[in-house]
PDB file of all heavy atoms in Angstrom:
ATOM      1  N   ALA Q   6      -0.326  12.629   3.758  1.00 32.00           N
ATOM      2  CA  ALA Q   6      -1.046  12.635   5.085  1.00 32.00           C
ATOM      3  C   ALA Q   6      -0.765  11.271   5.885  1.00 32.00           C
ATOM      4  O   ALA Q   6      -0.642  11.373   7.163  1.00 32.00           O
ATOM      5  CB  ALA Q   6      -2.515  12.695   4.756  1.00 32.00           C
ATOM      6  N   ARG Q  32      -7.252  -6.825  33.353  1.00 87.00           N
ATOM      7  CA  ARG Q  32      -6.581  -7.945  32.811  1.00 87.00           C
ATOM      8  C   ARG Q  32      -5.821  -8.744  33.928  1.00 87.00           C
ATOM      9  O   ARG Q  32      -5.648  -9.942  33.892  1.00 87.00           O
ATOM     10  CB  ARG Q  32      -5.562  -7.548  31.717  1.00 87.00           C
ATOM     11  CG  ARG Q  32      -4.780  -8.663  31.143  1.00 87.00           C
ATOM     12  CD  ARG Q  32      -5.576  -9.718  30.442  1.00 87.00           C
ATOM     13  NE  ARG Q  32      -4.847 -10.805  29.897  1.00 87.00           N
ATOM     14  CZ  ARG Q  32      -4.765 -11.976  30.589  1.00 87.00           C
ATOM     15  NH1 ARG Q  32      -5.271 -12.149  31.782  1.00 87.00           N
ATOM     16  NH2 ARG Q  32      -3.977 -12.905  30.013  1.00 87.00           N
ATOM     17  N   THR Q  40      -6.246 -18.578  36.195  1.00 78.00           N
ATOM     18  CA  THR Q  40      -5.434 -19.612  36.855  1.00 78.00           C
ATOM     19  C   THR Q  40      -6.208 -20.407  37.883  1.00 78.00           C
ATOM     20  O   THR Q  40      -6.039 -21.638  38.032  1.00 78.00           O
ATOM     21  CB  THR Q  40      -4.177 -18.952  37.404  1.00 78.00           C
ATOM     22  OG1 THR Q  40      -3.456 -18.318  36.407  1.00 78.00           O
ATOM     23  CG2 THR Q  40      -3.285 -20.003  38.157  1.00 78.00           C
ATOM     24  N   LEU Q  49     -12.993 -29.657  42.816  1.00 86.00           N
ATOM     25  CA  LEU Q  49     -14.426 -29.953  43.075  1.00 86.00           C
ATOM     26  C   LEU Q  49     -14.856 -31.195  42.417  1.00 86.00           C
ATOM     27  O   LEU Q  49     -15.847 -31.845  42.878  1.00 86.00           O
ATOM     28  CB  LEU Q  49     -15.281 -28.779  42.575  1.00 86.00           C
ATOM     29  CG  LEU Q  49     -15.125 -27.461  43.329  1.00 86.00           C
ATOM     30  CD1 LEU Q  49     -15.979 -26.377  42.736  1.00 86.00           C
ATOM     31  CD2 LEU Q  49     -15.610 -27.679  44.818  1.00 86.00           C
ATOM     32  N   LEU Q  58     -16.119 -28.603  30.634  1.00 74.00           N
ATOM     33  CA  LEU Q  58     -17.365 -27.748  30.389  1.00 74.00           C
ATOM     34  C   LEU Q  58     -17.056 -26.362  31.032  1.00 74.00           C
ATOM     35  O   LEU Q  58     -17.764 -25.400  30.592  1.00 74.00           O
ATOM     36  CB  LEU Q  58     -18.495 -28.373  31.125  1.00 74.00           C
ATOM     37  CG  LEU Q  58     -19.264 -29.480  30.397  1.00 74.00           C
ATOM     38  CD1 LEU Q  58     -20.402 -30.161  31.197  1.00 74.00           C
ATOM     39  CD2 LEU Q  58     -19.801 -29.050  29.019  1.00 74.00           C
ATOM     40  N   LEU Q  96     -19.504  -7.540  41.611  1.00 96.00           N
ATOM     41  CA  LEU Q  96     -20.380  -8.013  42.609  1.00 96.00           C
ATOM     42  C   LEU Q  96     -20.501  -9.577  42.471  1.00 96.00           C
ATOM     43  O   LEU Q  96     -20.534 -10.256  43.482  1.00 96.00           O
ATOM     44  CB  LEU Q  96     -21.740  -7.351  42.450  1.00 96.00           C
ATOM     45  CG  LEU Q  96     -21.751  -5.802  42.828  1.00 96.00           C
ATOM     46  CD1 LEU Q  96     -23.050  -5.212  42.550  1.00 96.00           C
ATOM     47  CD2 LEU Q  96     -21.375  -5.635  44.272  1.00 96.00           C
ATOM     48  N   LEU Q 125     -21.705 -11.193  30.036  1.00 90.00           N
ATOM     49  CA  LEU Q 125     -21.510  -9.783  30.220  1.00 90.00           C
ATOM     50  C   LEU Q 125     -20.414  -9.249  29.456  1.00 90.00           C
ATOM     51  O   LEU Q 125     -20.400  -8.103  29.015  1.00 90.00           O
ATOM     52  CB  LEU Q 125     -21.240  -9.462  31.761  1.00 90.00           C
ATOM     53  CG  LEU Q 125     -22.478  -9.719  32.625  1.00 90.00           C
ATOM     54  CD1 LEU Q 125     -22.030  -9.753  34.155  1.00 90.00           C
ATOM     55  CD2 LEU Q 125     -23.557  -8.711  32.466  1.00 90.00           C
ATOM     56  N   VAL Q 140     -11.945   8.429  22.241  1.00 86.00           N
ATOM     57  CA  VAL Q 140     -11.004   8.772  23.304  1.00 86.00           C
ATOM     58  C   VAL Q 140      -9.719   9.260  22.644  1.00 86.00           C
ATOM     59  O   VAL Q 140      -9.075  10.231  23.191  1.00 86.00           O
ATOM     60  CB  VAL Q 140     -10.711   7.607  24.261  1.00 86.00           C
ATOM     61  CG1 VAL Q 140      -9.608   7.962  25.189  1.00 86.00           C
ATOM     62  CG2 VAL Q 140     -12.037   7.346  25.058  1.00 86.00           C
ATOM     63  N   VAL Q 190     -12.399  -1.538  40.734  1.00 95.00           N
ATOM     64  CA  VAL Q 190     -11.416  -0.496  40.379  1.00 95.00           C
ATOM     65  C   VAL Q 190     -11.637  -0.061  38.845  1.00 95.00           C
ATOM     66  O   VAL Q 190     -11.573   1.128  38.550  1.00 95.00           O
ATOM     67  CB  VAL Q 190      -9.970  -0.828  40.688  1.00 95.00           C
ATOM     68  CG1 VAL Q 190      -8.999   0.075  40.126  1.00 95.00           C
ATOM     69  CG2 VAL Q 190      -9.831  -1.108  42.168  1.00 95.00           C
ATOM     70  N   VAL Q 234     -10.624  -9.790   5.661  1.00 93.00           N
ATOM     71  CA  VAL Q 234      -9.828  -9.823   6.792  1.00 93.00           C
ATOM     72  C   VAL Q 234     -10.545 -10.786   7.903  1.00 93.00           C
ATOM     73  O   VAL Q 234      -9.918 -11.604   8.513  1.00 93.00           O
ATOM     74  CB  VAL Q 234      -9.570  -8.473   7.479  1.00 93.00           C
ATOM     75  CG1 VAL Q 234      -8.991  -8.614   8.861  1.00 93.00           C
ATOM     76  CG2 VAL Q 234      -8.730  -7.616   6.629  1.00 93.00           C
ATOM     77  N   GLY Q 246      -6.928 -22.663  17.258  1.00 84.00           N
ATOM     78  CA  GLY Q 246      -7.644 -23.534  18.190  1.00 84.00           C
ATOM     79  C   GLY Q 246      -6.946 -24.877  18.225  1.00 84.00           C
ATOM     80  O   GLY Q 246      -6.875 -25.465  19.356  1.00 84.00           O
ATOM     81  N   GLY Q 273       8.375 -17.980  26.164  1.00 89.00           N
ATOM     82  CA  GLY Q 273       8.909 -17.418  24.897  1.00 89.00           C
ATOM     83  C   GLY Q 273       7.756 -16.722  24.092  1.00 89.00           C
ATOM     84  O   GLY Q 273       7.830 -15.683  23.543  1.00 89.00           O
ATOM     85  N   PHE Q 331       5.142 -12.731  18.610  1.00 95.00           N
ATOM     86  CA  PHE Q 331       5.421 -11.272  18.124  1.00 95.00           C
ATOM     87  C   PHE Q 331       4.480 -10.923  16.844  1.00 95.00           C
ATOM     88  O   PHE Q 331       3.838  -9.874  16.879  1.00 95.00           O
ATOM     89  CB  PHE Q 331       6.856 -11.193  17.655  1.00 95.00           C
ATOM     90  CG  PHE Q 331       7.310  -9.938  17.052  1.00 95.00           C
ATOM     91  CD1 PHE Q 331       7.991  -9.036  17.887  1.00 95.00           C
ATOM     92  CD2 PHE Q 331       7.129  -9.465  15.714  1.00 95.00           C
ATOM     93  CE1 PHE Q 331       8.349  -7.805  17.445  1.00 95.00           C
ATOM     94  CE2 PHE Q 331       7.501  -8.371  15.211  1.00 95.00           C
ATOM     95  CZ  PHE Q 331       8.170  -7.463  16.065  1.00 95.00           C
ATOM     96  N   SER Q 408      -5.677  -5.815  -5.617  1.00 59.00           N
ATOM     97  CA  SER Q 408      -6.541  -4.692  -6.129  1.00 59.00           C
ATOM     98  C   SER Q 408      -6.246  -3.287  -5.566  1.00 59.00           C
ATOM     99  O   SER Q 408      -6.772  -2.348  -6.035  1.00 59.00           O
ATOM    100  CB  SER Q 408      -8.080  -5.011  -5.768  1.00 59.00           C
ATOM    101  OG  SER Q 408      -8.267  -4.980  -4.336  1.00 59.00           O
TER     102      SER Q 408
END
Side-chain angles (χ1 to χ4, degrees):
R32 179 67 184 91
T40 300
L49 293 173
L58 282 178
L96 294 175
L125 291 168
V140 172
V190 170
V234 172
F331 181 95
S408 67

